[in-house]
Amino acid sequence: MWIKRLRTGLLPACLVHTGILLCGLLMGIGLPSYAGDLSTEVRKGTSGPDNRNGGYFEVGAGIATSTNPIVGIPEGNEKGEVHTEVFLDINARYQYGCLFGELFSQSLEQFTLGCNFYNGENWSLDWVGLTQHDEMSEEVSDDYRGLKRRRDDFMSGPRATAYFGNYIVQLHALTDISDTHHGELYSLRLARHWQYRNWTLHGIVGATYRSQQIMDYYFSIDESEASEKYPQSEVPAGMAYVVELGVTYPLSEKWVFRSFIRRMDLESSAMRSPLIMDNHGEAIATSVSYVF
């Protein structure tokens, strides 16, 4: 959805409730660089792909404050309500041959598995698989009582990443392979990093298209489940837009500080769903992690 849940890491598909979702250290700390998740790459100040074997692992803690436009995330959520929570910050990546797995708590994506099958001088091409939308059911939140279970999905497809100096562009073209909704998702994001002494500053802008099958499955209300609280509705395909600003600072050889502010906006057509209370959400998160 548009907000990644801050799971033991982060915030899901919708925008931000519980948080926001793996990365290596940045400037000054001798970790290898890998072509991968955009949120990770820009925080490291990466300027090109690298497919060497190996990886890294970080663990830490953070605090996030957010608003979420989705009913039930968290339970009892109301329009514009601000939620604050502490989260476990886990950042990790490992690659062997072409195969890799990556998790970054402050990412726009969730845990990703994939295979890197091309690296050029300035761009790389991966095939990835990841969950894009979390389950919505009574087991998750009492707010969904009386509604049909909406299962989490697993989507797969190519991910292309291009590097132009301090700029990084990343494209996802994913399709559902979990027999959940048979939908398609396309995202395009542009990121830039700046260096100021030991600080790495970054900005991200992006847009994500979700097909009608995805929007209908998670946010439409059909006749069989309609009620006074959740009237029947049909939600078309739509776009979501993201803007993010953040900083990263190595406190020492083993400790790293990160902080960001993020906003996501939804198309007005999404408001046709009684499960969507607002057309935007925001998140601010700060964390300190230890590098093993």
Side-chain angles (χ1 to χ4, degrees), residues 1-5 11-17 19 68-70 264:
M1 316 216 191
W2 346 86
I3 303 171
K4 294 253 176 237
R5 238 169 243 179
L11 208 58
C14 239
L15 191 49
V16 260
H17 136 136
N68 197 318
I70 308 303
M264 282 202 184

Side-chain angles (χ1 to χ4, degrees), residues 5-11 18-21 87-90 105:
R5 238 169 243 179
L6 236 269
R7 13 187 93 185
T8 2
L10 230 15
L11 208 58
T18 4
I20 311 171
L21 324 178
F87 65 94
L88 180 63
D89 190 30
I90 296 179
S105 294

Side-chain angles (χ1 to χ4, degrees), residues 29-47:
I29 300 178
L31 294 181
S33 169
Y34 304 89
D37 171 72
L38 178 74
S39 296
T40 308
E41 296 288 271
V42 72
R43 285 170 169 82
K44 291 187 296 184
T46 304
S47 58

Side-chain angles (χ1 to χ4, degrees), residues 189-207:
R189 297 181 184 126
L190 169 67
R192 191 191 194 287
H193 55 82
W194 297 266
Q195 196 78 35
Y196 178 71
R197 296 183 179 177
N198 284 338
W199 293 86
T200 297
L201 293 79
H202 76 266
I204 299 174
V205 295

